[in-house]
Amino acid sequence: QVQLVESGGGLVQAGDSLRLSCAASGGTFTSYAMAWFRRAPGKEREFVAAVNWSGRNTYYADSVKGRFTISRDTAKSTMYLQMDMLKPEDTAVYSCAADRQLILTDAWDYWGQGTQVTVSS
């Protein structure tokens, strides 16, 4: 059973940067692909970014491409989401997910509780 704990959310202004972390435990870190999703108020959960088990392959939603960077540190069993040039529309609860297979839908096996990101204009 994999446990995921997010951290790093907060309130920032448009144009600022923020880095989210997702610490994993309870499994072999390199056995899992990992991803970030977000849910804005009144909207469906949406895919943000994903990274394969090795960190070599990454995928992004068009809305964040060029602004967000996903990465993972095997030694720390932690995944990151560096978010630059934040916009008010990036405001959402961000959740990390893990699965043995990398998929671009939200059907991932393991989920964290989420961390709030609020971007003011």
Side-chain angles (χ1 to χ4, degrees):
Q1 187 77 7
V2 176
Q3 291 84 44
L4 304 172
V5 178
E6 302 95 337
S7 62
L11 171 63
V12 296
Q13 293 186 331
D16 286 349
S17 298
L18 207 57
R19 189 177 81 157
L20 305 183
S21 300
C22 174
S25 61
T28 302
F29 189 63
T30 52
S31 294
Y32 297 89
M34 300 191 73
W36 289 98
F37 287 79
R38 66 187 182 186
R39 189 193 296 269
K43 295 188 177 181
E44 296 290 318
R45 182 163 58 193
E46 66 171 348
F47 168 78
V48 176
V51 59
N52 75 329
W53 68 272
S54 69
R56 290 182 179 179
N57 298 320
T58 57
Y59 306 85
Y60 296 93
D62 288 342
S63 59
V64 307
K65 202 171 293 183
R67 300 188 298 120
F68 291 10
T69 304
I70 190 172
S71 62
R72 61 191 295 165
D73 185 333
T74 298
K76 297 181 179 180
S77 295
T78 300
M79 175 182 64
Y80 303 98
L81 184 69
Q82 177 67 40
M83 304 186 294
D84 298 320
M85 296 181 287
L86 283 161
K87 304 175 181 180
E89 51 264 44
D90 294 319
T91 295
V93 174
Y94 285 71
S95 299
C96 62
D99 199 295
R100 291 188 181 274
Q101 291 188 335
L102 193 154
I103 51 179
L104 301 184
T105 68
D106 64 355
W108 291 63
D109 283 343
Y110 304 102
W111 291 86
Q113 291 298 309
T115 185
Q116 176 71 46
V117 172
T118 303
V119 185
S120 64
S121 58

